[in-house]
Amino acid sequence: MAKKKYYKKKSQSIFSFFKRVFLKHESDFHLFIIPIILLVIFLIISVVVTVVQKNVEASRIATENYALPVTSYPFLTTPITQPITAESVVIIDRDSKTVLFQKNSQVRFSMASTTKLMTALVAAEHFKPDDILTAYTSHVEGVNVGVEVGDKLYFKDALFALLLPSGNDIALMMAQNYPGGEEMFVRRMNQKAKDLHLVNTHFEDPAGLNDDGNYTTVGELAQLAIYFSNSPQVSVVTATKSTIISTVDGNKTFALNNLNRLLGFYGVTGIKTGHTEGAGDVLITSTTLNGYNYIIIVMRSQDRFFDTEVLLAALLNGVGIFTPRSFGN
C-alpha cells in the first residue's frame, strides 16, 4: 500500500514539473508548435492535391478513350422461323465479331473437308508460291484431282486444286512435302489451332476424312474462317469459280471447279464445302451484304445450300444496325 502511494506521489510530482515548465515557457512553446502544425497542414494539402490531380488525369484519359469512334454492328430484326436442317449454325459479323444467330455453337462436330482451311493456312506458312510439290501417293479415298505418283505441281496451283474441288490427294501431297512429312504437318495444324485459341478443335489428317479425329465447334470454325478470310494468299482462291492448272512439265492439265454453288449469289465470296458420312453436309460461307461482311456456317446439315440460303435471305431482309453511344454523349 505504501508502495502504491509512493508511485502516485511520484507521478503527481512529474506532472507538476512539466506543468511548471510549460507555464514558464508557454510563449516559446507556441512559437515552436505553430510552425509544426502549419507544416503538417501543408503536407496534407500537398498529398490531397496530388491525388486529385491523378484522378483528374485518369478521368481525362478515360474520357478520351471512350470518345473514340464506336463501331456500328448489325443485328437480326426478325427471328429466323423457317426450319433449317443443320444441327449447328452460326452467323457472325466478320469485322465486329458480333454473333447475329447461333445454334449449338459450343457442341463439337466433325468438320469434314472444311479441315482444308487449316491445311491451306499451314501449307501457305511454309511453301512459297513457286515451290514445287511432288505427288508420292495417288488415288486417295474420296475426291481426287487426279495427280499420279511423280507428278509435280507449283504450290500456287496446288492451292486451287485443294480448295476448289477439295482434292484429298492434294491435301496429302502438301502434307507429304512438308518437313517431317504428314505426321509433322498434322502436328503443326494442331499447334496452329492452339495458337488461335481453338481449344475444342483437333485435326487427325490434312484432308478431313477422319470423322472422329477431325472435330471442332461451329463457333471455333467461325474464328478459323475469319482468320482464313484475312489471309489474301488463300482466301482469294476460294472466290474463284473455276480455273485450269497444269503440272510443272505441262504434260497434264486439270480443270478445277468450285463446289460452292452459291458463289456469286447473295454477295457470296467463298469459302469451303465439306461432306462425309459422319459429318453430314458442312458449308462455310463468306458474304458481303449491305456493306457488312458475314461468315455463315452450317454443320451436320441435310442440305447445306438450302439452309445457307435461308440464312442469307434473313440477312438480306431483316437486319438493323446498332451504333453504341460514345461516353459522355
Side-chain angles (χ1 to χ4, degrees):
M1 191 73 176
K3 193 173 183 180
K4 188 174 181 182
K5 288 181 178 180
Y6 170 78
Y7 282 117
K8 184 176 180 181
K9 186 177 180 180
K10 190 78 172 175
S11 62
Q12 288 175 346
S13 63
I14 292 172
F15 176 77
S16 298
F17 171 77
F18 280 108
K19 185 176 180 181
R20 288 195 303 271
V21 170
F22 175 78
L23 292 174
K24 183 178 180 180
H25 301 283
E26 182 177 3
S27 59
D28 294 337
F29 182 77
H30 288 162
L31 291 175
F32 173 75
I33 197 64
I34 290 174
I36 292 178
I37 293 173
L38 292 175
L39 178 61
V40 170
I41 293 173
F42 174 77
L43 291 174
I44 292 172
I45 293 173
S46 297
V47 171
V48 171
V49 169
T50 300
V51 171
V52 170
Q53 286 177 338
K54 287 183 178 180
N55 289 338
V56 169
E57 182 66 16
S59 176
R60 183 185 65 81
I61 293 172
T63 304
E64 288 177 354
N65 289 338
Y66 279 110
L68 292 172
V70 179
T71 303
S72 300
Y73 60 85
F75 65 95
L76 289 176
T77 57
T78 306
I80 298 173
T81 56
Q82 188 169 352
I84 55 178
T85 65
E87 293 185 28
S88 188
V89 180
V90 73
I91 304 175
I92 187 169
D93 174 34
R94 199 178 83 191
D95 301 312
S96 69
K97 312 299 187 298
T98 302
V99 175
L100 285 79
F101 179 79
Q102 61 183 338
K103 174 184 176 182
N104 293 330
S105 63
Q106 301 302 318
V107 180
R108 292 177 177 177
F109 292 94
S110 173
M111 65 185 92
S113 280
T114 58
T115 294
K116 294 185 176 81
L117 266 66
M118 185 63 86
T119 304
L121 287 168
V122 169
E125 283 181 347
H126 176 73
F127 298 112
K128 297 180 176 61
D130 289 328
D131 282 350
I132 296 174
L133 308 184
T134 301
Y136 296 108
T137 306
S138 58
H139 306 291
V140 180
E141 179 186 350
V143 177
N144 282 255
V145 169
V147 293
E148 300 287 343
V149 174
D151 285 346
K152 299 179 185 298
L153 294 176
Y154 290 114
F155 174 67
K156 60 187 176 184
D157 293 330
L159 272 177
F160 284 92
L162 176 76
L163 295 171
L164 268 60
S166 199
N168 293 337
D169 51 348
I170 305 300
L172 193 59
M173 185 182 192
M174 289 182 176
Q176 291 177 339
N177 279 265
Y178 190 80
E182 184 179 358
E183 181 181 349
M184 293 303 297
F185 188 88
V186 173
R187 186 178 298 180
R188 177 57 192 153
M189 291 172 71
N190 286 307
Q191 182 58 53
K192 185 73 173 177
K194 290 181 181 178
D195 294 344
L196 296 175
H197 308 292
L198 307 180
V199 297
N200 289 302
T201 298
H202 184 265
F203 301 99
E204 196 67 29
D205 73 87
L209 293 170
N210 190 321
D211 281 325
D212 294 326
N214 298 304
Y215 59 79
T216 189
T217 67
V218 75
E220 291 194 0
L221 192 54
Q223 294 178 53
L224 178 60
I226 291 171
Y227 184 85
F228 182 93
S229 299
N230 291 332
S231 174
Q233 183 179 2
V234 292
S235 62
V236 68
V237 174
T238 63
T240 303
K241 284 190 174 183
S242 62
T243 191
I244 297 174
I245 65 169
S246 63
T247 53
V248 172
D249 59 16
N251 291 333
K252 292 182 182 178
T253 59
F254 306 92
L256 309 176
N257 296 299
N258 199 318
L259 297 180
N260 187 356
R261 69 182 190 216
L262 294 179
L263 192 64
F265 300 96
Y266 298 99
V268 172
T269 56
I271 298 179
K272 189 73 188 71
T273 59
H275 177 84
T276 62
E277 184 177 348
D281 275 359
V282 185
L283 181 60
I284 305 172
T285 301
S286 62
T287 182
T288 300
L289 294 171
N290 299 320
Y292 285 85
N293 302 307
Y294 302 100
I295 295 291
I296 304 172
I297 303 178
V298 296
M299 300 187 76
R300 196 171 286 176
S301 168
Q302 297 175 28
D303 188 338
R304 59 194 175 192
F305 296 116
F306 171 79
D307 287 345
T308 301
E309 284 191 86
V310 169
L311 301 172
L312 285 165
L315 288 175
L316 195 61
N317 301 315
V319 169
I321 305 301
F322 178 73
T323 303
R325 288 175 55 190
S326 297
F327 182 83
N329 289 344

